Amino acid sequence: MRAALHRMRQATGLPLAFGGLVETDLGHMRISELQGNRTTALSSLAVISGNGLGGKTVALARPCAVTDYSVSRQISHEYDAAVAAEGIRSVLAVPIVVRRRVRGVLYGALRTAQPLGDRTLGMAMEAARDVEQALVVRDEARSLLTAARAPEEGSAGAWEEVREAHGALRALAPRIDDPALREELLQVCGRLAGAASGPGAESTGPAVLAPREVDVLSCVAGGATNAVAAERLGLRPETVKGYLRSAMRKLGAHTRLEAVVEARRAGLLP
């Protein structure tokens, strides 16, 4: 959220940006991040679906904007005091939607009453897409970690699902621009790999493979050919072959399958 708001302000020149996520259990969206604010009037403000501009955005699941908040007839006015305290006049709100459910709202605002053009709206929507991607990745990572802890001994089918999803997440990680989120995702992948073997499992030693070598082995473990692995990872097939050969050498393996087995023993793959 913080990174998305920063990028939105940089791209649009808007002096004020803020946002928050929907708290499902409580039934409202809470403003948790503000940039360019002069007061704390909006901090932690709970916005109910349907109320104000943000609440309207949550209810309709589409962008909304007003040129002069305090006198607009397009919205209700439960939050006028907080908005006035911050000096907001013109404001837009875009929804953060994941799997057809509104998960939050990003706002951009001016302290003057003037229309916010299509370019500004488009940039705000791009910022919302960044947050959506981050939420999808985090949801998937948490789901996989839960699944990794759940399968009982002998539940091969469940483990295969975890392994397949682990490979997909490893392939996704290099495409994430946010370095903090990318690192968090890779840490979760590491926890999945560790959870697969369990606390008492034998380990052949410390992690000795480069991240891309693990990425390639993760694809191979899911049955991918070099060509398919290259497509998933955005690499050339020759590069995939090079990473695979290097991984096999480091693991003391003579075949692709043996390399996967040794990587699992080392806790590098689930």
Side-chain angles (χ1 to χ4, degrees):
M1 178 75 71
R2 184 176 298 114
L5 290 174
H6 177 73
R7 286 193 292 270
M8 183 173 75
R9 289 184 72 203
Q10 291 266 319
T12 63
L14 291 172
L16 175 62
F18 52 102
L21 298 178
V22 173
E23 297 179 345
T24 305
D25 295 341
L26 300 178
H28 59 237
M29 186 273 294
R30 186 176 299 278
I31 296 174
S32 58
E33 294 287 343
L34 296 102
Q35 295 184 13
N37 54 305
R38 296 172 179 171
T39 74
T40 58
L42 297 172
S43 182
S44 298
L45 182 69
V47 178
I48 298 172
S49 178
N51 292 355
L53 185 68
K56 183 177 179 180
T57 297
V58 171
L60 299 179
R62 62 174 175 80
C64 298
V66 295
T67 301
D68 196 341
Y69 191 100
S70 63
V71 299
S72 174
R73 296 183 179 180
Q74 301 173 33
I75 58 172
S76 60
H77 290 274
E78 291 82 0
Y79 312 112
D80 279 9
V83 171
E86 188 57 51
I88 292 173
R89 300 288 296 280
S90 182
V91 58
L92 60 80
V94 295
I96 298 165
V97 183
V98 176
R99 297 185 178 93
R100 300 185 179 182
R101 183 163 63 93
V102 177
R103 296 282 296 275
V105 176
L106 294 186
Y107 300 81
L110 295 170
R111 294 185 173 88
T112 56
Q114 62 187 73
L116 293 166
D118 291 342
R119 179 182 176 278
T120 299
L121 179 60
M123 294 294 183
M125 292 177 68
E126 286 185 15
R129 299 301 85 82
D130 290 344
V131 181
E132 289 167 1
Q133 182 190 50
L135 289 174
V136 167
V137 171
R138 288 186 179 182
D139 288 351
E140 186 69 13
R142 287 170 181 168
S143 173
L144 286 171
L145 192 57
T146 300
R149 292 168 176 159
E152 296 180 357
E153 189 175 345
S155 184
W159 275 122
E160 284 309 311
E161 288 187 16
V162 171
R163 286 165 176 164
E164 183 178 344
H166 173 270
L169 285 176
R170 292 281 324 189
L172 175 63
R175 304 178 190 176
I176 297 175
D177 294 331
D178 187 331
L181 178 60
R182 184 169 59 250
E183 179 61 26
E184 182 179 348
L185 175 57
L186 290 175
Q187 287 176 1
V188 171
C189 287
R191 291 172 65 189
L192 281 172
S197 54
E202 180 183 357
S203 174
T204 60
V208 295
L209 301 186
R212 271 312 202 186
E213 293 168 350
V214 178
D215 293 342
V216 168
L217 278 181
S218 184
C219 290
V220 170
T225 64
N226 288 349
V228 171
E231 183 178 354
R232 288 180 184 173
L233 299 173
L235 300 172
R236 295 170 59 86
E238 293 80 5
T239 305
V240 168
K241 289 180 184 178
Y243 282 129
L244 183 57
R245 284 195 297 267
S246 177
M248 290 169 62
R249 184 179 66 254
K250 291 178 181 179
L251 293 168
H254 302 288
T255 67
R256 295 157 61 93
L257 178 58
E258 188 179 349
V260 169
V261 171
E262 292 301 324
R264 285 175 176 163
R265 286 179 179 172
L268 298 171
L269 295 177

